[in-house]
Amino acid sequence: MTVFTMKEYINEAIDEYAEDISFGMPGHKGKDFFDLKINRDLTEFLGTDNLLNPTGAIKNSLEEIARVFGSRYSFYIPNGSSGAINIAVSCLAEKGCKILLQRNCHKSCINSVLINELIPIYIETKYDEESAQFLGIELENLKKTVERERPELCLLVSPNYYGGILNLKEIISYLHKKNIPVIIDEAHGAHLYFSDLKKYSGNFLGADIVINSSHKMIPSLTQTAILHINSEKITRERVLKYINLYTTTSPSYLFIASQEKGISYMEDEGKKSMKILEEEISAWRKKTSFKDSRVKDKSISSYDPMKFLFRLPRKTGSQIVKSFHLAYNIRLEMGDLYYALAIISPKNSIYELKKLFKAIEENSRGEFKEIIKLKFPRPQMEILPSEALKRESLLIDFKNSLGRISAANVSAYPPGIPIVSYGEKITSDVIDSLSYYLANDIEIVGLYDQKIEVVK
């Protein structure tokens, strides 16, 4: 009798990175911080409460979370900021309304446009050609877009993937004067509330809804997020309605208990650790004259020091990521055409930080790759994104797709900015951009064996 044993591909793949020093997500960095015993994997029962209708332990915990983050009330979301964004947009948007958002928003923002059948109005994010970096939003440009397009809702990302924080105070103030509710995708900023950068945070500056991914920078399990409500116009009952619509009826208690433990850690020990790490980074920069790669600009109010962006001579960012893993057992968060990003959380040690600095110093000789001035496609929307999603489609070679209408969101990762999205016409600029990214070993999400999905 033949006995077949399932090969455990996922477990084998994960084990390859078990010994790495982590400068990527999640924020716990693979270190013990929370009791993960299997007997703690519970469901709703008596005193454990119910996440979808909290009245006991979870309700009490959420009141503590609201106190810590300064919101009217908060909710644990066990399916990430992506799920929280869907809930937030559904709470505020009506079918067919115009939503203002950045072109470099997370794909979950686009998904919310599709789900709620909205009309996306894109606000340009300032791009610095000399450094190949996206910066912030210029207020005058925002005002012109609002006056021209008359959006009914706004969804903005701050801080961005690279740590740039928008001038939210002036942006939120202006939009509120226009009676436009503001959602802040603050997925990368949960830790800001435990630092001097709290003053730049969405809750502090009065955004209607703020979303934090606790797992990105705070020690908690991957897939955990928090939804904060500040507007008096949004009732707790309305939020719970959409939480019930989008959330599994079997939410993981390990997830939400890890969030509670991680945030409790941040109030004291984590806050102190962040301060020490920030001082270590600053001291190293002074000692080595290694400049901060990020660009100072009026459109950015501040940068998160825990997002360590750097370049190295002769290497692309993706090459840095590969070489650091192979030569130093250091796992970075990402690499693009020019930069690598190390995400530093309070759970990283001084020893690990010094290992990162040593690796950078050992690879700092030579000339940098020339930064090529890129043109980003600005394809026109021909049909509503939700219509493009529902229409019959087919896959064709992207090089032969000129003039067709995209039935997908096609983005380069990183940085995750759509080259073309649902309902937009594919132009020669789109095709040229796709060819360029592929030639430079940058992953394109939305292509399948170099085929793009178009409306039939």
Side-chain angles (χ1 to χ4, degrees):
M1 180 179 177
T2 304
V3 177
F4 293 97
T5 303
M6 175 177 168
K7 185 174 174 60
E8 298 182 11
Y9 293 98
I10 296 171
N11 280 297
E12 288 182 10
I14 292 170
D15 288 343
E16 285 290 319
Y17 299 92
E19 302 303 319
D20 276 2
I21 294 172
S22 174
F23 286 102
M25 292 184 278
H28 57 67
K29 306 298 184 181
K31 298 176 182 179
D32 291 336
F33 78 101
F34 168 69
D35 188 352
L36 286 170
K37 289 178 182 175
I38 198 68
N39 63 3
R40 293 170 60 83
D41 187 15
L42 301 178
T43 57
E44 301 84 357
F45 185 76
L46 298 179
T48 63
D49 204 0
N50 184 339
L51 182 67
L52 305 184
N53 183 32
T55 59
I58 294 175
K59 179 176 179 291
N60 294 336
S61 181
L62 289 173
E63 288 172 355
E64 280 290 292
I65 298 302
R67 173 190 64 79
V68 171
F69 286 87
S71 65
R72 259 186 89 223
Y73 42 86
S74 301
F75 299 88
Y76 290 126
I77 306 297
N79 57 329
S81 285
S82 297
I85 286 169
N86 289 335
I87 293 164
V89 172
S90 294
C91 279
L92 289 171
E94 294 183 7
K95 179 181 175 180
C97 87
K98 291 182 177 181
I99 182 170
L100 183 69
L101 64 165
Q102 294 145 280
R103 188 73 178 179
N104 61 330
C105 64
H106 189 264
K107 70 176 184 178
S108 58
C109 302
I110 306 297
N111 292 344
S112 289
V113 169
L114 297 169
I115 291 168
N116 291 280
E117 299 185 44
L118 308 180
I119 302 170
I121 305 299
Y122 293 110
I123 178 75
E124 295 295 329
T125 303
K126 189 174 181 180
Y127 179 71
D128 182 68
E129 289 186 337
E130 298 301 320
S131 65
Q133 292 182 38
F134 282 91
L135 305 174
I137 293 172
E138 294 175 304
L139 186 60
E140 287 307 310
N141 187 26
L142 176 77
K143 289 179 178 179
K144 288 177 184 177
T145 305
V146 168
E147 292 298 327
R148 183 179 67 249
E149 301 291 348
R150 306 289 181 183
E152 297 147 90
L153 176 62
C154 182
L155 169 56
L156 299 175
V157 181
S158 179
N160 62 27
Y161 197 18
Y162 301 93
I165 303 171
L166 295 178
N167 290 316
L168 290 181
K169 184 177 181 179
E170 59 183 21
I171 290 172
I172 292 172
S173 175
Y174 168 75
L175 290 170
H176 278 174
K177 285 177 183 176
K178 295 291 182 178
N179 294 315
I180 300 171
V182 182
I183 301 169
I184 301 298
D185 174 2
E186 202 175 71
H188 284 270
H191 62 303
L192 299 182
Y193 293 86
F194 308 94
S195 76
D196 294 338
L197 295 178
K198 177 182 178 179
K199 60 187 176 184
Y200 300 118
S201 62
N203 284 333
F204 189 86
L205 296 172
D208 297 87
I209 301 180
V210 176
I211 293 136
N212 292 137
S213 280
S214 50
H215 74 266
K216 284 182 168 60
M217 300 296 294
I218 290 175
S220 66
L221 294 178
T222 298
Q223 203 173 302
T224 52
I226 311 169
L227 179 69
H228 305 289
I229 306 296
N230 297 302
S231 172
E232 294 181 359
K233 297 177 182 178
I234 307 168
T235 65
R236 184 172 178 271
E237 290 72 26
R238 182 168 179 81
V239 180
L240 281 171
K241 171 183 173 180
Y242 285 105
I243 286 176
N244 275 269
L245 184 63
Y246 287 110
T247 306
T248 174
T249 55
S250 302
S252 169
Y253 275 74
L254 291 178
F255 281 10
I256 59 177
S258 77
Q259 288 180 276
E260 185 181 61
K261 179 64 72 174
I263 293 166
S264 175
Y265 160 84
M266 288 300 299
E267 277 214 280
D268 183 30
E269 189 179 343
K271 184 188 294 187
K272 293 175 183 175
S273 177
M274 272 206 305
K275 191 70 176 174
I276 292 169
L277 290 166
E278 184 178 349
E279 289 170 355
E280 187 71 20
I281 294 167
S282 179
W284 178 76
R285 287 196 190 283
K286 290 177 181 177
K287 175 185 173 184
T288 61
S289 300
F290 194 90
K291 294 181 180 179
D292 192 334
S293 294
R294 297 170 303 189
V295 177
K296 291 183 179 179
D297 188 80
K298 290 181 180 179
S299 65
I300 294 289
S301 62
S302 188
Y303 278 106
D304 174 11
M306 298 293 104
K307 298 289 177 65
F308 191 88
L309 188 71
F310 65 97
R311 292 179 69 194
L312 290 178
R314 302 190 302 273
K315 287 186 173 70
T316 65
S318 54
Q319 288 170 340
I320 295 170
V321 170
K322 290 176 184 177
S323 65
F324 272 41
H325 169 62
L326 294 173
Y328 302 98
N329 282 349
I330 290 175
R331 177 163 56 87
L332 299 172
E333 170 62 20
M334 73 89 202
D336 61 18
L337 291 173
Y338 308 106
Y339 300 94
L341 177 66
I343 292 182
I344 302 162
S345 96
K347 295 300 286 186
N348 282 118
S349 66
I350 295 293
Y351 166 79
E352 290 172 333
L353 203 56
K354 288 182 176 179
K355 290 274 287 185
L356 173 65
F357 293 157
K358 183 180 179 183
I360 291 172
E361 289 170 13
E362 289 178 356
N363 290 272
S364 291
R365 292 187 184 135
E367 298 295 322
F368 288 105
K369 290 179 68 68
E370 180 185 0
I371 292 180
I372 300 170
K373 293 184 179 181
L374 298 177
K375 289 184 179 180
F376 293 92
R378 297 290 185 264
Q380 294 296 309
M381 186 173 67
E382 296 291 317
I383 62 175
L384 285 179
S386 55
E387 185 181 347
L389 174 70
K390 294 173 182 176
R391 288 258 200 106
E392 190 176 355
S393 63
L394 71 159
L395 288 169
I396 62 174
D397 190 312
F398 81 87
K399 293 176 183 176
N400 299 325
S401 64
L402 184 66
R404 304 300 291 266
I405 295 174
S406 176
N409 192 60
V410 183
S411 305
Y413 273 88
I417 299 163
I419 298 168
V420 67
S421 193
Y422 292 93
E424 295 177 344
K425 182 181 282 190
I426 299 168
T427 63
S428 57
D429 284 345
V430 169
I431 294 170
D432 290 345
S433 294
L434 291 171
S435 299
Y436 182 80
Y437 280 113
L438 288 171
N440 284 276
D441 198 28
I442 300 297
E443 181 183 8
I444 303 290
V445 176
L447 287 188
Y448 308 93
D449 293 327
Q450 301 205 12
K451 289 182 170 61
I452 190 169
E453 187 178 2
V454 297
V455 172
K456 194 169 182 179

